[in-house]
Amino acid sequence: MKNDSELQPLLSIPVSGQHKYKVTLLVDDNYIDNFISEKMLAASNFSEVMHFAINGQLALDLILELHSREPDANHLSPDIIFVDLNMPVMNGMQFIREFRKWENSVVKKSKIIVLTSSIHDADQSEVREFDSSILFIRKPLTAEMLNNI
């Protein structure tokens, strides 16, 4: 088995066809879940570009990197951010809190959806108490879930 330093932490995949959204970011450390989600997102033509990060810190870094490429890079920002809660380095709730501290158009544009395998009511309560507009769905991602977003 590969250790974390040998695994690709970030990945961006362009997808062809008509899409519901331009850019999606999936933040999850589970490679099997990412594979399933990637296939579902692609099959549903959910977004034109999919970015992947294995923890919240890498996701924040990716968003900053996308915006450093050009001054008005709002078109590069994720429309939808799927984020798992339980991850190393920076978990999903830490990511959400840090991301929402930013005062820019990225935060206003991006809709956060918690995509988790957690069955703990306390996790959902914590998310709802922080921001009731955040959608909370359980893995695995399905076509029906994507149609409802």
Side-chain angles (χ1 to χ4, degrees):
M1 177 150 186
K2 294 181 178 181
N3 66 38
D4 285 344
S5 65
E6 296 172 315
L7 297 172
Q8 178 81 14
L10 298 171
L11 181 63
S12 299
I13 301 172
V15 183
S16 60
Q18 294 268 66
H19 303 93
K20 191 171 184 177
Y21 295 100
K22 178 143 177 74
V23 181
T24 297
L25 171 59
L26 178 66
V27 186
D28 195 335
D29 65 323
N30 186 305
Y31 290 94
I32 294 170
D33 289 338
N34 284 343
F35 177 79
I36 293 167
S37 294
E38 175 199 342
K39 295 300 179 194
M40 187 55 59
L41 289 162
S44 300
N45 286 330
F46 190 76
S47 68
E48 186 176 325
V49 176
M50 293 183 284
H51 297 291
F52 297 83
I54 61 170
N55 65 58
Q57 184 60 58
L58 289 173
L60 292 173
D61 293 346
L62 172 65
I63 295 166
L64 288 171
E65 169 63 25
L66 291 171
H67 278 266
S68 71
R69 293 180 184 174
E70 52 187 276
D72 185 24
N74 211 24
H75 64 283
L76 300 174
S77 302
D79 300 298
I80 303 289
I81 301 173
F82 291 101
V83 61
D84 187 22
L85 292 178
N86 300 310
M87 297 177 289
V89 182
M90 178 184 279
N91 69 37
M93 202 60 226
Q94 291 168 322
F95 165 81
I96 292 168
R97 284 190 174 103
E98 287 301 311
F99 180 73
R100 289 288 168 91
K101 286 180 186 176
W102 295 358
E103 294 292 328
N104 60 33
S105 59
V106 180
V107 175
K108 292 178 180 94
K109 176 186 177 190
S110 300
K111 177 179 176 117
I112 295 176
I113 299 171
V114 172
L115 178 63
T116 186
S117 57
S118 173
I119 58 171
H120 301 290
D121 290 337
D123 288 337
Q124 188 167 357
S125 294
E126 182 181 13
V127 170
R128 296 262 186 254
E129 286 173 19
F130 180 74
D131 184 342
S132 61
S133 71
I134 295 174
L135 185 61
F136 192 98
I137 57 179
R138 289 203 167 60
K139 295 176 187 177
L141 195 57
T142 66
E144 182 179 349
M145 289 173 183
L146 292 173
N147 286 334
N148 291 327
I149 296 173

